[in-house]
Amino acid sequence: MKKLIVILFICAFGLSINAQNLKESDIPSPVKEKFSSMYPHVTDAKWEMENGKYEAEFKQNNVETSVLFEANGTYFQTEVEIPVSSLPAGVSDYVSKNLRDSKITEASKIFSSKGIVTYEAEIGRTDYLFDATGNFLSKESDTNETDDDK
């Protein structure tokens, strides 16, 4: 019984460190300043930590958007939700060949600070990343995210 409690505690701790919701007062000034300069009309962003970066999530023109910043305020990337039908053809080819009977439930277009565009296709609790032409790059399981986080 003690082992079960310890395992549950470790799992709960692991869930809390992957993506931590933050109060605006927890956001470094350089991050807030850079965000405000990029998105002056956004006042209702939700902030969290993601892999050591500050992430602002908000809707812009009714589209889910998230922006990542380094602690010093340096812009890292923007992720914008897109219709699944807007993914490059190579993505659906990859899914039909390698993930039979799977369905893409969400899609995003990611713009890096270096000008690189990638695409993300969510299938179940796994995010599949593709380059601008739809070639598979990597996958990342997101077992910590709940439907409420979307």
Side-chain angles (χ1 to χ4, degrees), residues 1-8:
M1 184 65 168
K2 286 183 182 182
K3 285 183 182 181
L4 179 61
I5 292 171
V6 169
I7 291 170
L8 290 174

Side-chain angles (χ1 to χ4, degrees), residues 80-135:
V80 179
E81 188 172 356
I82 61 171
V84 171
S85 60
S86 295
L87 289 167
V91 175
S92 58
D93 292 344
Y94 176 86
V95 171
S96 65
K97 288 178 188 171
N98 298 289
L99 304 165
R100 293 182 192 100
D101 301 323
S102 295
K103 182 180 176 190
I104 300 170
T105 54
E106 284 187 19
S108 298
K109 188 173 186 177
I110 302 168
F111 306 88
S112 81
S113 61
K114 297 176 182 171
I116 298 169
V117 174
T118 55
Y119 290 89
E120 181 180 273
E122 183 176 308
I123 300 172
R125 291 187 175 237
T126 303
D127 296 332
Y128 292 81
L129 293 176
F130 299 86
D131 68 14
T133 59
N135 295 309

Side-chain angles (χ1 to χ4, degrees), residues 47-97:
W47 289 92
E48 62 182 45
M49 288 294 290
E50 182 178 296
N51 299 323
K53 294 177 180 45
Y54 291 86
E55 178 181 32
E57 293 181 348
F58 56 95
K59 282 194 176 190
Q60 184 174 23
N61 300 323
N62 246 3
V63 176
E64 292 284 334
T65 304
S66 68
V67 184
L68 287 171
F69 300 94
E70 302 286 347
N72 65 4
T74 302
Y75 165 72
F76 185 73
Q77 78 178 26
T78 301
E79 183 174 330
V80 179
E81 188 172 356
I82 61 171
V84 171
S85 60
S86 295
L87 289 167
V91 175
S92 58
D93 292 344
Y94 176 86
V95 171
S96 65
K97 288 178 188 171

Side-chain angles (χ1 to χ4, degrees), residues 18 22 25 28 30 39 49 52 55 77 105 124 149:
N18 187 38
L22 301 172
S25 61
Y39 301 95
M49 288 294 290
E55 178 181 32
Q77 78 178 26
T105 54
D149 292 337

